[in-house]
């Protein structure tokens, strides 16, 4: 009876589980499943249902715990997909791969998950093969999603592995396919085409989402955020940094939930800021440290973000943080060059140039593949220290670049700066010998010989220059320019030889350039344009004559006369001469009033004129003396002793001030 009652209860519970599953109410279904497991704890179907309910509710860790607890009942054949999916969602990608590979039967669900796992592991070749097999051998409503994933793999190969993608013949009917195609074009450097694809993807996205009445404008903008982020990236690559920065900031204001997108945008803003606007960059770094970012981005994206963090620490003078980050990057990627360059740059900021050069030299010895970049950096450091000769030695040790025109030019310039002409000529010689051996008919070879000859002529090495010019002439006997240079060089050393060679010059008739002189003089760029000769007839002639008459009648304007001008008085004929040069100039009278300065006791004068009783009020008044203070009584001309000042002193001072003032203006 008890068994029958239990079976009836279980049947009712199973009906409840089925109904909840169809309605999507997995929380309630889980309760019913737990009741069934209380009746029979080893019920395989009930355990499977419990795992599925937990997965649907997002409890992946608990679901994986149930699977691992009941390994005897839930074997890999029974629940391989659920186990691998839980491991995948918990970012245990390697474990998920092992679970899939250990399954005895590869179902379509496992194959789908296998493709996702391979993509996360960045095994793009295997992933591409897996999706091709899926598309070929399956026909259901998920075909469009598989094609989208396939295009994403192709885009990743183009972006991260620089593989030229093959044409898969996918019809870009959805915005996801259009977006992936744009990413593949960015990887190939076809930025303009990629921008057009992104614009098309934006249109398709708006069309598809606007058909759903429940989708708001905010939802559409959130979905478009990743497309706009890629547009901004293209603008940044094209040098339109202001436009890119504006679009990046617009996306950040939307506060998208995709932490990976936010991290990429923040990193790109930091690269635009560089060593400027450091405060903003430090705020943006926080977005790159968000939880879960490491699971959303590829290894190269994460590596680039870490590089920028180290550089930002260097620019913000956080030396310890910079060393820590660069050392961590070097331990993760020992063969990577950038961490070592960052460490060297930090040492240079600390004025430890010798230590920086030693660090670079050690890395070059351990990693010969990067020796060229390292040696170029070392040479730059030596130049910064002023050791130009040592920098030249380092550059000449790079055998791969010794014959390159850019390297030859740099070395010759540096040696010329140090006035080491012999070494500069030796650089030319080695490069010419290399081309003579490996590429004798290369235009670069002849160009180097000509440059060497010009350099030797400039520095007085005429005989060596003649040898180079003769070699050039042998290569091309019809080159008149080389022959002319050769004759010019011989004229300085051996005039007779120059005369002999001059016979090879073409005659003047063959050298005529057939230039239309008239057309050349009347051309747009001519500084002098000759007027065309011709007779003026009719109205034009009358017009020219009329203009001539007008010019003849034109008179000068009368000059303005001074305000005190008197026509009856004859003007001074010497008025144009300076005062000192006029015939009636008698010179400046100096010391006129010095005799009047009192030399006795206070109030005394050298003359008795002021004490003369004959001078009454009826006498002509003298001009008031400046600085004499208040006026005295009209009944007496005697000035009290305390108010009396030496006669002429203030006036003399005033004249001296006026003279000084005039002198300051530069006049007489």
């Amino acid at each position: 009876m008890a068994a029958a009652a239990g079976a009836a209860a279980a049947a009712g519970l199973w009906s409840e589980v089925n109904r909840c599953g169809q309605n999507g109410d997995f929380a309630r279904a889980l309760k019913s499943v737990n009741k069934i497991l209380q009746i029979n704890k080893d019920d395989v179907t009930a355990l499977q249902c419990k795992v599925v309910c937990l997965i649907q509710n997002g409890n992946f860790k608990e679901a994986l715990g149930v699977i691992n607890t009941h390994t005897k009942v839930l074997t890999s054949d029974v629940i391989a997909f659920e186990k691998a999916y839980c491991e995948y969602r918990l970012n245990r990608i390697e474990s998920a791969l092992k679970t899939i590979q250990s399954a005895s039967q590869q179902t379509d669900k496992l194959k789908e998950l296998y493709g996702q796992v391979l993509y996360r592991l960045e095994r793009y070749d295997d992933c591409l093969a897996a999706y091709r097999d899926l598309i070929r051998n399956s026909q259901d409503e998920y075909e469009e999603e598989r094609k989208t994933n396939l295009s994403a793999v192709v885009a990743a190969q183009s972006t991260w592995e620089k593989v030229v993608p093959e044409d898969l013949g996918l019809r870009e009917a959805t915005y996801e396919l259009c977006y992936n195609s744009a990413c593949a074009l960015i990887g190939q450097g076809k930025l303009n085409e990629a921008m057009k694809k992104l614009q098309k993807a934006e249109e398709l996205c708006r069309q598809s989402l606007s058909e759903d009445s429940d989708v708001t404008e905010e939802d559409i903008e959130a979905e478009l955020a990743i497309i706009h982020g890629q547009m901004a990236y293209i603008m940044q690559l094209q040098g339109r940094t202001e436009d890119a920065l504006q679009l990046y900031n617009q996306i950040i204001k939307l506060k998208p939930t995709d932490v990976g997108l936010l991290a990429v945008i923040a990193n790109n803003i930091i690269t635009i800021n560089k060593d400027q606007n450091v405060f903003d960059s430090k705020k943006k770094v926080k977005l790159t440290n968000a939880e879960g970012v490491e699971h959303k981005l590829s290894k190269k994206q994460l590596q680039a973000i870490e590089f920028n963090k180290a550089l930002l620490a260097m620019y913000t003078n956080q030396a310890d943080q910079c060393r820590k980050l660069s050392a961590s990057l070097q331990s993760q990627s020992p063969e990577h060059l950038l961490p070592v360059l960052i460490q060297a740059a930090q040492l240079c900021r600390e004025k430890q140039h010798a230590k920086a050069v030693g660090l670079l030299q050690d890395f070059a010895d351990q990693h010969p593949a990067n020796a060229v970049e390292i040696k170029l950096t070392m040479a730059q450091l030596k130049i910064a220290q002023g050791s130009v000769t040592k920098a030249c030695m380092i550059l000449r040790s790079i055998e791969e670049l010794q014959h390159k025109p850019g390297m030859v030019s740099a070395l010759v310039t540096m040696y010329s700066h140090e006035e080491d002409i012999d070494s500069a000529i030796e650089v030319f010689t080695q490069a010419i010998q290399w081309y003579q051996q490996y590429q004798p008919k290369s235009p670069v070879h002849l160009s180097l010989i000509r440059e060497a000859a010009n350099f030797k002529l400039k520095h007085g090495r005429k005989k060596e220059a003649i040898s180079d010019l003769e070699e050039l002439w042998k290569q091309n006997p019809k080159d008149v320019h080389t022959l002319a240079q050769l004759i010019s060089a011989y004229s300085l050393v051996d005039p007779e030889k120059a005369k002999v060679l001059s016979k090879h010059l073409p005659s003047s008739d063959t050298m005529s350039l057939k230039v239309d002189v008239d057309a050349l003089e009347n051309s747009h760029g001519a500084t002098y344009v000759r007027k065309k000769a011709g007779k003026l007839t009719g109205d034009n002639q009358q017009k020219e004559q009329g203009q001539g008459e007008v010019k003849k009648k034109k008179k000068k304007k009368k000059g303005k006369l001074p305000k005190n001008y008197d026509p009856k008085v004859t003007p001074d004929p010497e008025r144009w001469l300076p005062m000192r040069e006029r015939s009636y100039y008698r010179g400046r009278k100096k010391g006129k009033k010095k005799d009047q300065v009192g030399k006795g006791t206070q109030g005394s004068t050298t003359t008795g004129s002021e004490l003369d009783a004959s001078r009454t009020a009826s006498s002509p008044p003298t001009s008031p003396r400046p600085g004499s203070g208040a006026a005295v009584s009209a009944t007496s001309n005697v000035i009290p002793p305390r108010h009396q000042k030496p006669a002429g002193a203030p006036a003399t001072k005033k004249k001296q001030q006026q003279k000084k003032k005039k002198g300051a203006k530069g006049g007489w």
Side-chain angles (χ1 to χ4, degrees):
M1 291 291 293
L13 290 170
W14 277 117
S15 298
E16 180 71 13
V17 170
N18 186 40
R19 184 171 61 255
C20 292
Q22 292 177 353
N23 296 332
D25 190 356
F26 295 100
R28 190 170 180 181
L30 182 60
K31 293 179 180 179
S32 299
V33 169
N34 287 331
K35 291 179 181 179
I36 294 172
L37 289 173
Q38 288 177 358
I39 299 171
N40 184 5
K41 64 179 181 179
D42 293 329
D43 190 328
V44 177
T45 306
L47 288 170
Q48 280 183 297
C49 288
K50 182 174 182 178
V51 170
V52 171
C53 288
L54 290 170
I55 291 173
Q56 292 290 347
N57 291 329
N59 299 325
F60 304 108
K61 194 170 185 179
E62 189 177 347
L64 190 60
V66 172
I67 295 171
N68 292 331
T69 304
H70 300 82
T71 52
K72 292 182 180 179
V73 180
L74 299 175
T75 60
S76 58
D77 295 336
V78 174
I79 204 162
F81 172 77
E82 287 79 3
K83 182 181 180 182
Y85 184 76
C86 288
E87 291 170 337
Y88 173 78
R89 293 300 300 270
L90 292 170
N91 296 307
R92 303 174 187 178
I93 309 301
E94 294 288 349
S95 300
L97 180 64
K98 291 179 181 179
T99 301
I100 293 170
Q101 291 175 338
S102 63
S104 59
Q105 185 179 0
Q106 294 295 319
T107 62
D108 289 343
K109 293 191 299 182
L110 278 173
K111 289 180 181 179
E112 297 273 5
L113 184 58
Y114 181 58
Q116 293 285 348
V117 168
L118 291 174
Y119 184 84
R120 287 284 300 277
L121 292 172
E122 301 182 19
R123 292 169 52 179
Y124 298 122
D125 291 336
D126 296 337
C127 184
L128 190 66
Y131 276 117
R132 277 180 166 171
D133 181 65
L134 275 170
I135 293 171
R136 191 183 303 115
N137 298 318
S138 59
Q139 291 182 351
D140 52 28
E141 66 273 16
Y142 299 110
E143 183 178 0
E144 200 69 36
E145 293 183 7
R146 295 189 187 100
K147 289 181 179 179
T148 301
N149 291 343
L150 182 65
S151 66
V153 176
V154 172
Q157 282 184 314
S158 175
T159 303
W160 308 122
E161 296 181 352
K162 301 303 176 184
V163 175
V164 179
E166 57 181 302
D167 187 6
L168 300 174
L170 299 175
R171 191 171 61 90
E172 297 170 1
T174 64
Y175 70 90
E176 292 95 340
L177 283 168
C178 232
Y179 172 81
N180 289 336
S181 177
C183 293
L185 289 170
I186 292 173
Q188 300 174 66
K190 300 177 181 179
L191 302 181
N192 292 329
E193 295 179 35
M195 181 63 83
K196 292 178 181 178
K197 289 282 185 184
L198 289 173
Q199 291 169 351
K200 182 181 176 183
E202 182 180 6
E203 293 176 5
L204 291 172
C205 181
R206 289 188 182 277
Q207 289 175 4
S208 62
L209 294 180
S210 60
E211 295 173 358
D212 191 348
S213 58
D214 295 334
V215 178
T216 63
E217 184 63 27
E218 289 77 10
D219 296 334
I220 295 175
E221 290 298 326
E223 188 69 20
L224 288 172
I226 191 169
I227 298 175
H228 290 160
Q230 207 69 291
M231 286 180 173
Y233 176 61
I234 292 176
M235 293 175 187
Q236 185 176 351
L237 293 178
Q238 291 175 333
R240 298 161 54 192
T241 52
E242 292 297 327
D243 296 335
L245 195 60
Q246 184 178 359
L247 193 50
Y248 283 142
N249 287 322
Q250 287 177 3
I251 297 170
I252 290 177
K253 287 179 182 178
L254 293 173
K255 297 181 180 180
T257 57
D258 189 348
V259 293
L261 174 62
L262 281 173
V264 169
I265 290 174
N267 175 75
N268 292 351
I269 291 175
I270 292 170
T271 60
I272 291 175
N273 290 339
K274 295 183 180 178
D275 58 342
Q276 305 296 320
N277 203 0
V278 178
F279 180 72
D280 179 66
S281 296
K282 291 184 75 172
K283 289 197 300 183
K284 295 297 186 291
V285 164
K286 296 178 182 179
L287 295 175
T288 65
N289 297 328
E291 185 179 356
V293 168
E294 66 276 9
H295 305 306
K296 292 287 185 178
L297 303 178
S298 66
K299 291 179 182 177
K300 290 192 176 181
Q301 286 175 313
L302 293 171
Q303 194 177 58
I305 289 173
E306 292 301 313
F307 286 148
N308 289 328
K309 286 180 183 178
L311 288 171
L312 183 61
M314 182 181 71
Y315 287 136
T316 53
N317 298 319
Q318 295 176 295
D320 294 336
Q321 180 73 3
C322 177
R323 278 191 286 268
K324 182 179 178 181
L325 289 169
S326 56
S328 175
L329 284 167
Q330 190 175 6
S331 63
Q332 295 172 11
S333 304
E335 74 288 348
H336 208 290
L337 177 61
L338 196 53
V340 180
L341 293 178
I342 294 173
Q343 292 179 37
Q346 180 60 44
L347 289 171
C348 290
R349 288 174 72 91
E350 298 171 0
K351 308 299 182 184
Q352 301 183 42
H353 293 88
K355 195 172 181 180
V357 172
L359 178 67
L360 293 171
Q361 185 63 57
D362 292 341
F363 185 83
D365 296 338
Q366 296 173 7
H367 303 88
N370 295 319
V372 174
E373 292 88 346
I374 289 293
K375 288 182 178 180
L376 288 172
T377 307
M378 291 168 60
Q380 183 65 37
L381 291 177
K382 289 295 182 183
I383 292 172
Q385 292 177 284
S387 303
V388 180
T389 304
K390 291 183 179 179
C392 291
M393 292 174 61
I394 294 172
L395 292 175
R396 294 185 69 176
S397 67
I398 308 175
E399 297 180 359
E400 300 92 324
L401 302 179
Q402 277 186 357
H403 61 282
K404 298 291 184 181
M407 180 62 76
V408 173
S409 176
L411 286 170
V412 169
T413 302
M414 292 162 68
Y415 276 128
S416 300
H417 182 269
E418 295 295 300
E419 298 182 357
D420 190 353
I421 307 304
D422 292 333
S423 297
I425 293 174
E426 186 180 353
V427 170
F428 271 123
T429 303
Q430 290 178 351
I432 291 169
Q433 289 175 352
W434 188 93
Y435 278 99
Q436 182 67 36
Q437 183 178 357
Y438 297 103
Q439 298 179 13
K441 297 182 179 180
S442 172
V444 179
H445 181 210
L446 300 178
S447 177
L448 281 173
I449 295 175
R450 187 179 299 280
E451 291 299 325
N454 292 335
F455 182 83
K456 292 169 184 176
L457 283 172
K458 181 180 178 181
H459 291 87
R461 307 293 182 90
K462 299 179 183 63
K463 293 184 179 180
E464 298 177 36
I466 288 171
S467 177
D468 292 334
L469 290 171
E470 285 180 339
E471 178 64 26
L472 276 176
W473 193 42
K474 287 180 183 178
Q475 295 285 342
N476 187 7
K478 296 181 180 180
D479 188 354
V480 180
H481 177 63
T482 302
L483 179 59
Q485 276 189 304
L486 186 58
I487 293 170
S488 177
Y490 265 121
S491 66
L492 301 173
V493 179
D494 189 351
E496 294 298 325
K497 181 68 174 177
K499 290 181 181 179
V500 174
L501 287 174
S502 63
K503 296 178 181 179
H504 295 280
L505 288 171
S507 63
S508 58
D509 296 336
T510 58
M511 291 293 290
S512 62
L513 301 176
K514 298 180 181 180
V515 176
D516 188 347
V517 178
D518 294 334
L520 185 62
E521 287 183 347
N522 294 316
S523 63
H524 179 69
T527 56
Y528 164 75
V529 179
R530 185 173 60 191
K531 293 183 179 179
K532 295 181 180 179
K535 294 182 179 180
L536 297 172
T537 59
D539 297 336
N540 292 335
Q541 187 174 5
Q542 293 176 3
K543 189 175 180 181
E544 290 292 331
Q545 290 176 355
Q547 289 178 356
E549 291 174 1
V550 172
K551 289 180 181 177
K552 289 179 182 178
K553 292 179 181 178
K554 193 173 182 180
K555 296 181 180 179
K556 291 185 178 180
K557 292 182 179 180
K558 293 183 178 180
K560 292 183 179 181
L561 297 172
K563 293 180 180 179
N564 58 352
Y565 172 70
D566 187 357
K568 297 179 181 180
V569 178
T570 304
D572 183 5
E574 297 182 359
R575 64 187 180 279
W576 308 113
L577 297 175
M579 182 61 75
R580 288 187 175 184
E581 297 179 11
R582 299 180 189 180
S583 59
Y584 50 82
Y585 180 70
R586 293 291 179 265
R588 191 185 296 270
K589 295 181 180 181
K590 299 180 181 178
K592 182 178 180 181
K593 297 183 180 180
K594 286 184 179 179
D595 297 337
Q596 299 177 11
V597 179
K599 296 184 179 179
T601 59
Q602 185 176 5
S604 65
T605 59
T606 56
T607 62
S609 59
E610 291 188 17
L611 300 177
D612 190 356
S614 63
R615 297 186 64 180
T616 62
S618 61
S619 301
T622 58
S623 59
R625 290 189 293 272
S628 60
V632 297
S633 175
T635 60
S636 177
N637 287 330
V638 180
I639 303 174
R642 291 186 179 275
H643 292 174
Q644 184 179 357
K645 293 186 179 180
T652 305
K653 186 176 182 182
K654 184 175 181 180
K655 286 184 179 180
Q656 289 175 353
Q657 289 176 349
Q658 289 176 353
K659 181 179 178 182
K660 185 176 182 182
K661 187 176 181 182
K662 287 182 181 179
K665 291 183 179 179
W668 289 96

